[in-house]
Amino acid sequence: MITFSEKEKRAVSAVIQERIDEHLGRFPYARYPVEPLEEWRKTFCDPASVPPLTIKKALGWHFGGWQRQSLPSAVSRTISAILDAWTEFLPLASAEPKEFFQFWQAQLPDWNNGFSAAALLLHLQRPNDFELADRHRMDAMRELLQEIGHAYQGEDNRLGFADLVDYTAFFRSVLPKLPDKEDTRIKLNRFLKGYGNRHAYKLVSPDFRTKEPSIRAFSWNDLSSKRFRLDQIVGRANCDMLFTCFLLTLEAQGSTTTEFTVGEVVDLLPVGTAGICNEASFKYALVSLFSQQRQRDFWVFDKPEISRAFTEQANQSTRDMKFYDSHSKEKVNLNSKYIV
């Protein structure tokens, strides 16, 4: 098992704290929402009761495909191999972790994806014993240790069970050295994922930034507001959820503003708001949000023709999915019928 001194732990912690904001500022939050992961940790404690669709969803999430209709073919083949072998795996579900892991190592010929998949399954079934790991997180650990001069001897390519043990020890050694906040564990987990995959952003503009939604889960049954008439929102489509989240966000911020630009509205609704994490669905919902589609009347535009243009886009099958960007400076007012 990996060991490193208190001085080395503090050194790694210092590097992480220096870089964490930069990398979390580019983290794809909508691809990795935390809510389903928390639920799966409960579900996978009894592997025999986990339906195939849940296994597929969890693995798709792990590979960055949450709410996506299709996944890369290599990932799909790995998921199919796991589903095919699940019944054979069940007698080993309560075995020693190493035996558990080695079963999947033998079943998954594409170990490039297989390691990450097996690491997820081990974490979901035994979250108290193993941290969530994948190749990106392993790369992050290795590079951070190398940077502080630690002679880590893990394998670069054929990752195995010992590497998972090392990663868990690394994560749990560094975590106490970071500021003690409620979300520190989540932030460290995300940082290591993003840092290990930072090369994917080498062609992205330095100004590119992401934001985590303030409202990630949504239910029409749990809504209340002292400032807005949420009962006046009669639709139940994604755009109606986004409008509701916009109002609730304003209220949470204590904002009394009723006039905005289209861009200001969009900025308060990052992808993943209301649990809408499929980017295409989210963009369509944003276009519909500013339209009069199905008699929606959320906004009063300074230029009524802009509202009509949004409606035309929303009703077209070949719409401009970022039409709102072209009109980001247009001014809109909240319809007073939604204000108490």
Side-chain angles (χ1 to χ4, degrees):
M1 179 185 291
I2 186 174
T3 59
F4 55 124
S5 67
E6 288 297 312
K7 181 179 179 180
E8 289 172 323
K9 293 174 187 177
R10 290 193 296 270
V12 171
S13 171
V15 173
I16 291 173
Q17 291 184 73
E18 178 183 308
R19 300 174 187 173
I20 193 167
D21 289 342
E22 173 191 354
H23 291 281
L24 291 187
R26 294 185 164 204
F27 189 80
Y29 295 102
R31 291 191 179 191
Y32 304 99
V34 297
E35 288 77 14
L37 182 63
E38 293 169 353
E39 187 61 32
W40 292 327
R41 289 186 184 119
K42 302 173 186 176
T43 305
F44 276 79
C45 286
D46 180 13
S49 68
V50 183
L53 182 58
T54 300
I55 299 170
K56 184 176 181 179
K57 284 183 176 181
L59 289 164
W61 176 95
H62 196 44
F63 287 105
W66 180 241
Q67 292 188 0
R68 293 192 173 190
Q69 297 300 315
S70 61
L71 295 168
S73 57
V75 171
S76 295
R77 286 194 296 270
T78 295
I79 294 175
S80 294
I82 290 172
L83 293 174
D84 290 343
W86 194 256
T87 301
E88 184 181 350
F89 159 72
L90 290 177
L92 292 173
S94 58
E96 289 298 314
K98 187 173 184 178
E99 187 178 359
F100 174 122
F101 184 84
Q102 288 176 337
F103 171 84
W104 292 117
Q105 197 167 15
Q107 291 288 331
L108 304 174
D110 175 13
W111 195 237
N112 185 53
N113 290 310
F115 170 81
S116 296
L120 171 70
L121 295 175
L122 190 55
H123 168 73
L124 290 180
Q125 290 183 239
R126 306 185 186 191
N128 293 330
D129 299 324
F130 295 92
E131 293 294 336
L132 179 64
D134 62 7
R135 286 189 173 273
H136 294 147
R137 292 174 173 89
M138 297 301 302
D139 287 345
M141 176 184 73
R142 184 180 300 107
E143 291 169 15
L144 289 167
L145 289 175
Q146 288 175 350
E147 185 165 342
I148 66 164
H150 187 282
Y152 179 62
Q153 299 298 319
E155 296 291 335
D156 284 340
N157 296 314
R158 190 65 183 177
L159 293 168
F161 179 75
D163 296 287
L164 280 184
V165 174
D166 284 345
Y167 178 79
T168 296
F170 168 82
F171 188 100
R172 295 180 180 182
S173 294
V174 172
L175 183 62
K177 304 301 179 183
L178 298 173
D180 185 14
K181 296 181 180 179
E182 184 178 353
D183 60 351
T184 300
R185 171 178 284 275
I186 293 174
K187 284 187 173 181
L188 176 58
N189 185 21
R190 287 171 167 172
F191 167 78
L192 292 169
K193 172 68 175 178
Y195 189 71
N197 192 38
R198 65 191 183 281
H199 308 295
Y201 293 91
K202 62 183 179 181
L203 299 179
V204 175
S205 167
D207 297 328
F208 173 75
R209 291 292 180 270
T210 59
K211 291 193 297 185
E212 185 173 17
S214 58
I215 301 176
R216 300 187 301 272
F218 185 91
S219 170
W220 289 107
N221 298 323
D222 303 324
L223 300 177
S224 64
S225 173
K226 295 181 179 179
R227 188 182 167 208
F228 299 106
R229 302 182 189 276
L230 303 183
D231 60 310
Q232 294 296 310
I233 304 172
V234 297
R236 291 297 182 264
N238 284 349
C239 61
D240 303 300
M241 291 195 290
L242 290 187
F243 182 64
T244 305
C245 288
F246 178 76
L247 298 182
L248 292 174
T249 300
L250 289 182
E251 186 167 13
Q253 293 178 347
S255 173
T256 58
T257 304
T258 59
E259 181 180 306
F260 309 89
T261 64
V262 167
E264 288 170 342
V265 174
V266 172
D267 284 345
L268 277 183
L269 297 170
V271 61
T273 297
I276 309 168
C277 297
N278 181 290
E279 194 164 350
S281 298
F282 193 85
K283 288 179 178 179
Y284 172 52
L286 283 178
V287 174
S288 298
L289 174 66
F290 296 104
S291 76
Q292 296 174 329
Q293 191 183 44
R294 298 187 179 181
Q295 287 75 54
R296 291 186 176 91
D297 57 358
F298 300 148
W299 315 99
V300 178
F301 278 76
D302 275 11
K303 300 176 183 177
E305 65 271 19
I306 301 299
S307 178
R308 291 193 292 271
F310 270 103
T311 305
E312 290 174 5
Q313 285 292 323
N315 288 330
Q316 290 178 11
S317 59
T318 56
R319 66 187 65 87
D320 177 358
M321 294 293 274
K322 297 192 73 174
F323 189 70
Y324 45 85
D325 279 350
S326 304
H327 299 281
S328 62
K329 295 183 180 179
E330 298 294 341
K331 292 183 178 180
V332 295
N333 284 271
L334 274 177
N335 189 329
S336 59
K337 71 179 277 188
Y338 298 102
I339 303 173
V340 173

